[in-house]
Each structure stands twice: as C-alpha cells, then as structure tokens.
Amino acid sequence: MIEYLKTARKTPSSDQEDTRIVVGEILHEIEANGEEKVRYYAETLDGWTGAIVMTPDTIEKATAQLSQQAKDDIQFAHERIRRFAEAQLASLSEFETELSPGLVAGQRLVPVQTAGCYIPGGRYAHIASALMSVTTAKVAGVKNVIVCSPTRGSDGIHTSILYAASLAGADTILALGGVQGVAALAFGLFTGHPADILVGPGNRFVAEAKQILYGRVGIDLFAGPTEIAIIADEKADPDLVASDLAGQAEHGPDSPAWLITTSRELAEAVIARIPDCISRLQEPNRSAAESAWQDYGEVVLVDSREAAVAQSDRYAPEHLEVHAQALDWWLENLSNYGSLFLGEETTVTYGDKASGPNHILPTKGAARYTGGLSVAKFIKTVTWQRMTREANRDVGAVSARISRAEGMEGHALSGDDRLKKYFPEETFNLSGH
C-alpha cells in the first residue's frame, strides 16, 4: 500500500529551459577565438577584467584574509575527504592472470593527465566542492588539476575557495565561471593543458556545457538540482526530519525533497513542521526552500519497510537518509542512491561539507546506474595481454573460425598467418561455423 499525503507538482525534469543553443554558440565562439573570447565573456557576464590565472601571491593574500578558525575548519574537512579518497584508491587493484597456458592478461590503473574542476561560487561559495573535486583528483594521481571558479564582481574568486583549492593541491586556478570557465578547462586555454575529464557541480549552463562536451572529454556525471529523500519510521524525530528536508530545499526552487514513512503520525508531524523550519532561513534561501517544498516536496505513506525500499529505489535520490530502526537491514536492502546516511546522528549536511565521502553525486534518477565522484572517476582501467607462440595454437584457430562465422575475413587471416608462421607443419580447421 502506498498513499501520497503530499504530491509534488513537478518532477526533477520539469521547467528545463532549452539552453543548448545558447551554450553551444558560446562554446563554438570560444573554440574559434580562444582566450580573447573567454575574456570577453568574463567581462560581459561576470564583470571581471582582472587576471585570469591566479598567482601564488594572490592566493597568499586571500589566505591572509581568512581567520584561523576558517582555515582550521577547511583543513578538518580536507583531512577527512583525503583519507576517504585514499581508502578508495587502496580498494582498487591491478592484477594479472593466466587465462590458459601461455595466455597472460591483466589490468592497469592509469590516472588521467589533466582534470578540470569547476567550483561554483555564485549565490553560495562552494568551499567543500573545491575540496571534494581537487583532493580526490590529486589522490588518484592526476598530474594537472586545473580549477575554475566564478568571480564576484571586482572581488574575484571567494577567498575561502582559493584557500581550499590551493590546500587540496590545485596546480592552476582560473578566475572564470559559467560556460566560459568550462570551455577554458576543456580547450586548455590559459594553461596549455586541455582537460581529459571535467568534474564539479554548477548551474544549468555549466551542466549543459559539460553535456555538450561529453565524448570529447570525460565528465563526472550529468548533474541536476540537489535532491534529498528520507525514510523514517514511527521512532523518528519529526523535528530532525523536517529540518533536514528544509535544509536541502534551500539549494534552489527546483530541489526535490521526499519523505517516505511507515507512520502516518510522523508524516503529518513533519508536514506541519516544515513551514517553521523554512521560516528560520534568510532570503533568498527562504523563498527557494518554500518553492522547492511546494512544487517538489512529496510525502509517501507505505505499509512496510519493503515498500519503503521499493519507493526509495524508484526515486533513486542523490542523498538518502534513514531515520529508522535496524540500520544494517536498510544498508543491505537499499540499492539506488548517490550517498546513504544511516541514522539521525548523521545528515546530508555533514556529507556535503566535512565528513569525508564525496558530495558530487548523481541526480534525476542516475543513481540507478552510477555512483558519485570518486578516485575511480580519474583513473582509467586499462587491460593488457601477452601470449606465447604455443598459446596461439588454440586461441588462433578459435579466433579465426569465429571471425569467419561473423563474415570478417581480414580478422581471420590475422590468425591464419600466425598459425602458418608458428606451426608450418600442422594443419588446422579454420573454416567458419
């Protein structure tokens, strides 16, 4: 049994403006005209006429403006993000194995050469995003990590973002935002190092630019508005549930917030508390959260925890909190989510800022088939093989026969020629099936 006590007016795919033409034109102009066009858009769109490449002196001056508490907090978050990324790296492995006598194959883990990290800095200064993307790339072994972040009028990049990106190991920081920032990363402008992969969140223009460039460069994922889902039972604290839903809704007016619960009493209590939680926010966050809850908020009453799992997996939320008993059961049975937060003691806020696992996560149902940003995103898993001449006896003949069965005579002849060279006195059955 599933009952919707509050139904969303819209879905995460609603109200998507067609930005592809605009973004495509900007990318084309920048590719054709290079750095000159980037500077034009930086001035026209962001009012920035200063230096594009941040010098060590600029970063040092920015660091001097930060309080010791601010630096300590950024270092605290960086340490946990780095340690989690290092554990991810340790979980990956290279290997080699003998598949049959004389046929040895294996895999290598090779980091990409250049990563472009986009750090949002418009309405919010995404300090944590700088740490999440740059730290993870550096732990993966990426040689060139290039950051771009929007300027704030004549003030340039937010000082905390500069410090965080530098602390995390960024090799170059560009004072650029929007499509022009993504283009500079992808085309290697101002650095001479075109990105092999583009990572990091951003607005719809940034997301569209990454999507257009996908294939030419790799990307972390197709990002949409931030999402939260909470599974709660009758023992959950409605104040904390409401607080967490409202807290994520402040991301923007199109951020879905979903509650799945086995308790009608809990559901009604949360619905009643949401307005007060939102009222604690200052503008423009308050209006954003109000719109998000009104248009995208959803409350679903289910009759079992199995039904809760099924509903959650249909949402495939970016962030999933579980405020319920028997947490190990939920960990074992839930499948589709970007990142999972077990128990009321943790919250999406901790994951977003400082606890360690990466906060750059799949949205709009993409958690059905992918996870978030990780060390593995910056590493190519490549394979290799070698064979003895004797191993050609079986593999060569089988490959030639399969090739002919497929109608690919050229492939078959590659096997034939080796068998003829290595075993000139033998006769093989090389006809197709």
Side-chain angles (χ1 to χ4, degrees):
M1 184 275 294
I2 296 178
E3 180 181 352
Y4 288 81
L5 302 185
K6 181 185 183 304
T7 304
R9 297 180 182 181
K10 301 178 180 180
T11 71
S13 297
S14 298
D15 294 339
Q16 287 187 348
E17 298 183 40
D18 186 8
T19 60
R20 177 167 287 262
I21 295 176
V22 173
V23 173
E25 288 177 352
I26 295 174
L27 289 174
H28 176 74
E29 290 182 2
I30 291 174
E31 184 172 17
N33 298 286
E35 295 176 5
E36 177 185 355
K37 205 66 179 180
V38 170
R39 293 183 189 277
Y40 166 79
Y41 281 115
E43 180 177 0
T44 303
L45 301 179
D46 294 332
W48 180 249
T49 58
I52 300 296
V53 180
M54 297 293 95
T55 64
D57 183 60
T58 300
I59 297 170
E60 185 177 344
K61 288 179 179 178
T63 299
Q65 297 178 40
L66 296 176
S67 68
Q68 190 58 49
Q69 182 67 69
K71 289 186 284 189
D72 288 346
D73 288 345
I74 292 172
Q75 291 167 12
F76 177 96
H78 174 252
E79 180 184 358
R80 279 145 189 80
I81 294 164
R82 176 183 54 77
R83 289 173 62 185
F84 189 82
E86 288 172 346
Q88 281 184 327
L89 181 62
S91 74
L92 306 176
S93 63
E94 298 183 340
F95 69 84
E96 66 177 66
T97 182
E98 189 172 35
L99 300 173
S100 61
L103 169 55
V104 178
Q107 75 172 25
R108 291 186 61 222
L109 304 175
V110 182
V112 301
Q113 290 292 305
T114 301
C117 300
Y118 188 93
I119 314 301
R123 183 167 61 171
Y124 304 117
H126 286 248
I127 302 165
S129 289
L131 297 174
M132 296 286 179
S133 57
V134 178
T135 304
T136 307
K138 275 302 179 184
V139 169
V142 179
K143 181 179 179 181
N144 302 307
V145 177
I146 303 168
V147 165
C148 75
S149 189
T151 55
R152 298 167 299 134
S154 60
D155 293 333
I157 298 175
H158 195 285
T159 53
S160 294
I161 290 178
L162 276 176
Y163 175 68
S166 178
L167 174 68
D171 296 288
T172 308
I173 302 174
L174 305 178
L176 290 171
V179 178
Q180 62 270 25
V182 175
L185 295 175
F187 303 147
L189 303 179
F190 304 100
T191 65
H193 296 290
D196 300 308
I197 186 170
L198 298 171
V199 305
N203 63 21
R204 60 189 174 91
F205 294 100
V206 169
E208 186 65 35
K210 288 169 62 180
Q211 186 164 345
I212 290 174
L213 290 165
Y214 177 59
R216 181 168 181 171
V217 298
I219 65 172
D220 47 0
L221 41 82
F222 297 110
T226 290
E227 305 163 354
I228 182 174
I230 297 180
I231 296 174
D233 63 14
E234 71 280 359
K235 299 291 187 180
D237 182 337
D239 289 316
L240 289 181
V241 173
S243 176
D244 288 357
L245 290 170
Q248 289 301 299
E250 77 171 342
H251 271 278
D254 52 358
S255 288
W258 302 303
L259 171 61
I260 305 165
T261 180
T262 54
S263 169
R264 183 181 296 273
E265 181 180 359
L266 184 280
E268 293 173 347
V270 170
I271 291 173
R273 285 165 168 77
I274 287 284
D276 286 341
C277 289
I278 292 176
S279 71
R280 299 183 299 178
L281 305 176
Q282 300 296 313
E283 292 293 357
N285 304 36
R286 182 191 303 163
S287 294
E290 286 175 346
S291 295
W293 179 246
Q294 177 178 307
D295 292 338
Y296 294 87
E298 203 151 76
V299 178
V300 185
L301 180 65
V302 296
D303 59 2
S304 68
R305 61 184 186 179
E306 288 78 13
V309 166
Q311 181 66 22
S312 177
D313 281 350
R314 278 193 289 273
Y315 284 137
E318 177 188 18
H319 307 101
L320 176 57
E321 294 185 4
V322 178
H323 295 224
Q325 302 169 82
L327 295 176
D328 286 343
W329 185 89
W330 296 99
L331 178 60
E332 182 177 348
N333 286 276
L334 288 162
S335 300
N336 298 343
Y337 51 82
S339 192
L340 182 61
F341 302 81
L342 294 165
E344 70 165 41
E345 295 81 7
T346 189
T347 173
V348 174
T349 293
Y350 296 168
D352 272 353
K353 309 305 177 187
S355 58
N358 210 289
H359 78 185
I360 300 171
L361 301 166
T363 60
K364 298 169 68 174
R368 292 178 295 107
Y369 57 82
T370 188
L373 186 64
S374 70
V375 165
K377 291 282 187 179
F378 297 101
I379 294 177
K380 301 176 291 184
T381 302
V382 295
T383 60
W384 59 269
Q385 58 183 275
R386 64 163 59 102
M387 294 177 63
T388 62
R389 291 192 171 192
E390 183 61 30
N392 273 257
R393 186 188 302 277
D394 296 327
V395 176
V398 169
S399 297
R401 290 194 295 268
I402 291 176
S403 295
R404 289 196 168 90
E406 293 175 337
M408 303 184 77
E409 182 64 18
H411 284 63
L413 290 172
S414 291
D416 294 355
D417 291 343
R418 281 167 175 76
L419 294 174
K420 182 178 179 180
K421 175 180 180 179
Y422 301 152
F423 311 104
E425 305 300 322
E426 298 185 36
T427 300
F428 295 90
N429 175 15
L430 301 176
S431 61
H433 299 154

